[in-house]
C-alpha cells in the first residue's frame, strides 16, 4: 500500500493520473498540489491548495510521512504563460523545485511526464527545456526516476490550443479506425495516465533500471496492452 503525491492534476494527463490513482487498490492516499480545490471528494485525496505556486515545494516537504512516489504532470504553454520565459518558470523552474523538495523529503520514486523529442542539446526551445529538466531531475539521484515521453496527447483539453486542434482530430480519427495508425505518434491521455501509474508502481517494487525512459511504444504497452 502506497502514499503518493501529484502535481498537475488539472491538466490533460494529470487528470487521468489522478483518476487512475483514486481507483487503484494499492494507493492509500494522494496528496494533490493545485491552485484550486479538486472536484473529487474521495477519502483518499488530500488537497494541498495554494494559488501561490512558490508554496508548493514547502507543502510537499511538509507531508509526513513522505509519499513513496511523486508524480509530476505539471506544464503549460507559451500562449497560456504569456512568453517562453514565463513558461520556463513553470515547466522547468517550478518542476525542478518540486523535484528537489521531493528528494529532500525522502520520496523514493519520481515520475515525470516529459515529451517525445526532449533533448537538452536541441536547437528548439521547448524540447531543449524538457531535455534540460530531465537531466536536472536525473542528477537528483532518486532511488528510481521514471520519465515518460509520450507523443501528441489526444484528449479533451480544458484550455484551447488551436495549433494542436486539427492534428489531435486527425489522431482521434486514426485511432477510431485502428490504434495502430495512431500509437506510434500520438497517445490517448488515459493511456498515458495509466502508464505513468503502472511505471511508478513497478519502480517502487524495484523493477527496472534506476532511470527509466518510457517511450511511446512502452506508454502504449503499460497503459493499454498490459493494463
Amino acid at each position: 500500500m502506497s502514499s503518493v503525491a501529484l502535481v498537475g492534476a488539472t491538466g490533460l494527463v494529470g487528470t487521468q493520473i489522478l483518476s487512475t490513482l483514486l481507483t487503484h487498490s494499492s494507493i492509500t492516499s494522494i496528496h494533490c498540489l493545485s491552485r484550486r480545490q479538486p472536484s473529487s471528494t474521495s477519502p483518499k485525496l488530500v488537497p494541498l491548495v495554494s494559488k501561490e505556486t512558490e508554496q508548493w515545494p514547502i507543502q510537499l516537504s511538509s507531508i509526513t510521512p513522505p509519499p513513496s512516489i511523486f508524480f509530476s504532470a505539471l506544464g503549460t504553454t507559451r500562449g497560456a504563460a504569456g512568453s517562453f520565459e514565463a513558461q520556463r518558470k513553470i515547466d522547468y523552474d517550478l518542476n525542478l523545485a518540486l523535484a528537489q523538495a521531493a528528494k529532500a523529503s525522502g520520496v523514493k520514486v519520481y515520475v515525470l511526464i516529459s515529451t517525445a523529442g526532449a533533448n537538452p542539446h536541441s536547437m528548439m526551445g521547448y524540447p531543449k527545456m524538457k531535455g534540460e529538466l530531465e537531466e536536472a531531475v536525473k542528477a537528483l539521484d532518486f532511488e528510481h526516476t521514471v520519465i515518460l515521453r509520450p507523443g501528441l496527447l489526444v484528449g479533451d483539453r480544458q484550455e484551447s490550443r488551436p495549433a494542436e486542434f486539427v492534428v489531435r482530430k486527425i489522431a482521434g480519427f486514426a485511432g477510431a479506425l485502428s490504434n495502430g495508425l495512431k500509437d506510434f505518434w500520438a497517445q490517448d491521455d488515459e493511456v498515458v495516465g495509466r502508464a505513468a501509474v503502472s511505471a511508478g508502481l513497478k519502480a517502487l517494487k524495484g523493477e527496472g533500471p534506476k532511470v527509466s525512459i518510457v517511450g511511446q511504444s512502452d506508454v502504449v504497452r503499460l497503459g493499454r496492452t498490459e493494463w
Side-chain angles (χ1 to χ4, degrees):
M1 307 298 279
S2 304
S3 169
V4 305
L6 168 66
V7 67
T10 59
L12 188 61
V13 173
T15 299
Q16 296 297 337
I17 293 176
L18 178 58
S19 176
T20 302
L21 291 170
L22 287 170
T23 58
H24 204 291
S25 59
S26 70
I27 303 300
T28 56
S29 63
I30 307 150
H31 289 79
C32 186
L33 296 153
S34 61
R35 289 188 177 91
R36 58 182 183 272
Q37 193 75 18
S39 58
S40 174
T41 57
S42 169
K44 285 187 178 184
L45 188 61
V46 184
L48 299 174
V49 180
S50 176
K51 293 183 179 180
E52 305 299 326
T53 57
E54 63 269 18
Q55 294 299 312
W56 290 359
I58 299 171
Q59 290 176 308
L60 179 59
S61 298
S62 71
I63 301 172
T64 306
S68 299
I69 309 174
F70 178 58
F71 294 89
S72 178
L74 179 66
T76 187
T77 64
R78 183 185 307 202
S83 67
F84 182 74
E85 291 71 21
Q87 180 186 16
R88 185 178 175 87
K89 288 181 180 179
I90 297 172
D91 281 46
Y92 182 88
D93 295 345
L94 181 55
N95 257 316
L96 182 55
L98 286 163
Q100 290 168 335
K103 172 64 178 179
S105 66
V107 169
K108 296 179 179 179
V109 177
Y110 176 83
V111 180
L112 174 67
I113 306 301
S114 187
T115 187
N119 183 346
H121 307 295
S122 175
M123 298 297 291
M124 300 175 65
Y126 183 74
K128 177 179 174 65
M129 174 177 64
K130 290 296 188 181
E132 289 173 344
L133 177 62
E134 289 184 4
E135 293 303 308
V137 298
K138 285 190 287 186
L140 293 176
D141 197 32
F142 286 90
E143 288 187 20
H144 287 276
T145 299
V146 179
I147 298 172
L148 279 78
R149 291 179 177 172
L152 177 72
L153 299 174
V154 181
D156 296 323
R157 290 190 181 276
Q158 293 183 1
E159 81 276 20
S160 174
R161 294 190 181 184
E164 291 185 4
F165 179 78
V166 174
V167 183
R168 285 193 285 112
K169 286 296 183 182
I170 293 171
F173 178 72
L177 294 175
S178 169
N179 284 321
L181 297 174
K182 179 187 65 178
D183 288 343
F184 68 95
W185 66 284
Q187 289 81 50
D188 293 319
D189 54 349
E190 183 179 34
V191 171
V192 181
R194 288 175 173 177
V197 173
S198 178
L201 290 173
K202 286 179 182 293
L204 188 60
K205 294 177 183 177
E207 299 179 20
K210 186 177 180 67
V211 177
S212 177
I213 304 296
V214 183
Q216 296 177 61
S217 61
D218 287 327
V219 166
V220 173
R221 175 178 59 83
L222 292 170
R224 188 175 64 228
T225 308
E226 296 181 359
W227 185 259

